[in-house]
Amino acid sequence: MNPQAAETVLVHGGSGGVGLATIQLARSRGMIVFATAGTEEGLELCKEAGATHVFNHRKDGYTQEVRALIESVYVRL
C-alpha cells in the first residue's frame, strides 16, 4: 500500500501511542485523517496530533457521523 496525499485514513483508537504516531505519519503525507477516541481528552490529543476529524467511539451513532463524511470519499480496505 502506498498512501497518497488527499487520501483518507480512519485511525480507530487514535489517542494511544500507535494511533497518535499513525495520525502524525498520515498527516505528514498529506492525508485526511479521521480518528476515534473514547474520551474528550483523547479526542483533543488526536486533534493536536493533526487529525482532520475526530469522533467519540463511545457515543451512540458515531458510525453514522463517520459515514456521513465518507460518503463521497474513496475507501480502500
Side-chain angles (χ1 to χ4, degrees):
M1 185 168 161
N2 184 20
Q4 302 295 315
E7 286 187 334
T8 301
V9 62
L10 170 65
V11 181
H12 187 66
S15 62
V18 172
L20 291 171
T22 302
I23 292 168
Q24 292 171 345
L25 180 61
R27 289 298 292 155
S28 75
R29 291 182 160 244
M31 299 180 77
I32 299 164
V33 178
F34 291 8
T36 70
T39 65
E40 289 302 316
E41 294 82 9
L43 295 171
E44 191 58 38
L45 284 172
C46 291
K47 288 179 194 175
E48 290 172 5
T52 314
H53 303 280
V54 296
F55 306 91
N56 186 331
H57 60 76
R58 292 188 180 160
K59 178 182 168 191
D60 288 338
Y62 88 93
T63 56
Q64 287 77 14
E65 293 177 37
V66 173
R67 285 187 181 138
L69 284 173
I70 66 169
E71 282 185 352
S72 63
V73 175
Y74 171 75
V75 179
R76 181 188 346 207
L77 301 175

